Amino acid sequence: MAMFGVAFYLARSSWSFWREEIYKHKIDWALLEIRIPRETTRGPKAMEQVFASVFNLRNAPVGPKETWWDGEITRWFSFEIVGSKQTTRFYLRLPRLLLHPFTSSFYAQYPEIELVEVHEDYIDGYPPTYQKLFASGYDLYGIEIVQNYDPAYGINTYVDFEPKVGDEKGRILDTMASVMEIIGKMKPDETAWIQYILQPDTKGHWLHGADHIIDKMKSATQGGDEKGSEGTPGIRLRFRTQGEDKTLKRVEEKKGKACFETYIRMVYFAPKSIFNQDLLNRGIYSSLAQFGNDDQRFGKPNVLRTKVESTSPPFIFPKRRLFWKQVSIYDEYRRRFIKEETFMGQVFNSHPPLQWCIHHKPMILSAEEIATLFHIPTNVVMTQVTMDRIESKRLSPPSNLPK
């Protein structure tokens, strides 16, 4: 009986993986370069509105046909920062089906930018595998970031950094300034890729944990029962501290916002003679980790970064394990990989026997949190000489011009 149960589980997993792969391969992708003007005064708040708008473009399987035959999964998209040859570029990759509504949401908040479709992926200009990159004399360091605590807890956002008075232009303190500064000062042969993969959260599994946190915090400071004996008001055992009030507010607000399953993947590679993994490990990563607080922090577990220690399991072959980690993260970045929900999908995307695809865990971030981490750089950081800028936006001619 047990063998039948195992066989049924593997067969169902294989079927789901097969149908989902067919659905993924049918998606027609478009890659857009985001060209930024010299003056951009709209900050993260505008980007938050973009994310909140495109969240409503989400899809999800409904019924057994879409789940088991069509293999439908929620479509995702990615924003990418590329620092190479002392030039910084921004890209957006999305399903072509969503191209018009997505770009319309973008232009509604950033009318001065240009979204230009590029027909050659920048990734194709690099070796297709890490093995070939390694043979060219390059070394690589990569990280995939995770949340350390319950995803219901939020990080610090741009709202916590900007003053509360004045217009938006005067209040902007660009939270991407540190990242852009580090990338802008890289050497010509150094390359850094930062990838933000966003998949609208249609499952909401984390909401149960959020409700539990809210109920626990309220009951601990309100005496539990709403009414005391004989219908009298309950007695408050103690008042919440300012920190507890802030935590409770963040959790309640996050529940009401558009949230995404988020993967933040970063890769740095350079010739071995100038390779400096701390540029990514302690530089770019720290620029994102600064938004952590006592409730939520970003982590970089060893299983999701190219670090291997002989003192950690499985203890053997540390150099070979490191090599296959580098192979894996380079491949996953190039494919814009998202976690496989099926067991057979995880096995198929592994590099056995030393690297298994079982540790990926998407973060749950709200539109406000993502806008803090990625948005169109403002004129606060647009002085970077390594960033290609446009002097003015090109407009199409009016449709009512006489022929």
Side-chain angles (χ1 to χ4, degrees), residues 196-217:
Y196 303 83
I197 300 179
L198 309 178
Q199 187 178 31
D201 175 40
T202 58
K203 305 179 184 71
H205 296 322
W206 63 280
L207 294 174
H208 301 292
D211 290 333
H212 175 72
I213 291 170
I214 293 171
D215 293 340
K216 184 178 179 181
M217 292 189 69

Side-chain angles (χ1 to χ4, degrees), residues 48-181:
E48 180 185 351
Q49 295 301 313
V50 173
F51 290 135
S53 179
V54 300
F55 177 79
N56 294 309
L57 302 177
R58 67 192 182 279
N59 69 298
V62 178
K65 179 181 181 296
E66 292 184 356
T67 301
W68 298 104
W69 181 254
D70 296 339
E72 183 173 346
I73 61 173
T74 304
R75 291 182 289 262
W76 66 98
F77 55 92
S78 66
F79 288 91
E80 299 170 13
I81 304 175
V82 179
S84 179
K85 299 177 182 178
Q86 293 189 317
T87 301
T88 306
R89 297 182 183 276
F90 297 82
Y91 293 94
L92 163 62
R93 184 177 183 263
L94 74 164
R96 189 175 299 277
L97 181 68
L98 306 179
L99 186 60
H100 178 67
F102 205 111
T103 54
S104 297
S105 299
F106 229 111
Y107 286 135
Q109 301 300 327
Y110 293 99
E112 69 278 6
I113 68 168
E114 285 187 7
L115 297 175
V116 181
E117 184 170 0
V118 292
H119 300 287
E120 292 186 7
D121 197 333
Y122 69 90
I123 285 179
D124 294 334
Y126 297 88
T129 64
Y130 175 69
Q131 289 90 330
K132 293 185 177 181
L133 183 70
F134 181 79
S136 302
Y138 281 74
D139 205 348
L140 177 145
Y141 185 81
I143 300 173
E144 185 174 315
I145 296 176
V146 300
Q147 288 168 307
N148 282 346
Y149 307 118
D150 192 306
Y153 292 114
I155 59 173
N156 293 330
T157 66
Y158 68 90
V159 177
D160 300 300
F161 293 91
E162 291 183 352
K164 308 301 181 184
V165 296
D167 59 11
E168 184 180 24
K169 181 177 180 180
R171 290 188 285 109
I172 290 176
L173 296 175
D174 203 308
T175 51
M176 284 183 62
S178 299
V179 174
M180 302 311 302
E181 186 70 20

Side-chain angles (χ1 to χ4, degrees), residues 260-271:
F260 297 80
E261 293 189 1
T262 307
Y263 304 81
I264 301 180
R265 193 173 290 130
M266 302 182 288
V267 172
Y268 161 81
F269 54 91

Side-chain angles (χ1 to χ4, degrees), residues 62 139 142 161 163 170 275 293 318 342 382 392:
V62 178
D139 205 348
F161 293 91
F275 180 75
N293 51 51
T342 62
M382 285 304 292
S392 60

Side-chain angles (χ1 to χ4, degrees), residues 244-377:
E244 289 173 330
D245 274 331
K246 198 169 187 177
T247 298
L248 183 59
K249 180 182 178 182
R250 279 181 176 150
V251 175
E252 290 180 328
E253 288 182 346
K254 187 169 184 176
K255 280 188 60 182
K257 290 182 178 290
C259 291
F260 297 80
E261 293 189 1
T262 307
Y263 304 81
I264 301 180
R265 193 173 290 130
M266 302 182 288
V267 172
Y268 161 81
F269 54 91
K272 295 179 181 179
S273 58
I274 61 172
F275 180 75
N276 177 18
Q277 72 175 38
D278 283 342
L279 186 145
L280 176 61
N281 185 38
R282 291 187 169 84
I284 297 176
Y285 168 77
S286 298
S287 299
L288 302 181
Q290 67 176 319
F291 301 112
N293 51 51
D294 291 340
D295 299 319
Q296 187 63 272
R297 297 186 186 279
F298 289 139
K300 46 180 180 179
N302 286 350
V303 292
L304 291 175
R305 62 170 169 158
T306 54
K307 180 179 180 181
V308 170
E309 297 176 345
S310 57
T311 56
S312 59
F315 307 110
I316 58 175
F317 309 128
K319 291 184 179 179
R320 295 305 300 170
R321 285 157 50 205
L322 174 61
F323 178 80
W324 283 106
K325 278 190 173 185
Q326 292 169 319
V327 169
S328 177
I329 198 164
Y330 186 75
D331 176 62
E332 289 171 352
Y333 186 100
R334 289 179 58 89
R335 292 190 293 132
R336 281 88 174 186
F337 178 77
I338 62 172
K339 179 185 177 182
E340 292 286 353
E341 297 294 336
T342 62
F343 172 75
M344 294 306 296
Q346 295 173 6
V347 172
F348 181 83
N349 286 280
S350 297
H351 296 84
L354 298 179
Q355 183 64 22
W356 295 91
C357 182
I358 58 176
H359 303 289
H360 298 282
K361 187 177 181 181
M363 299 182 288
I364 301 294
L365 298 179
S366 68
E368 181 180 309
E369 292 173 302
I370 300 170
T372 301
L373 303 175
F374 179 89
H375 53 267
I376 303 302

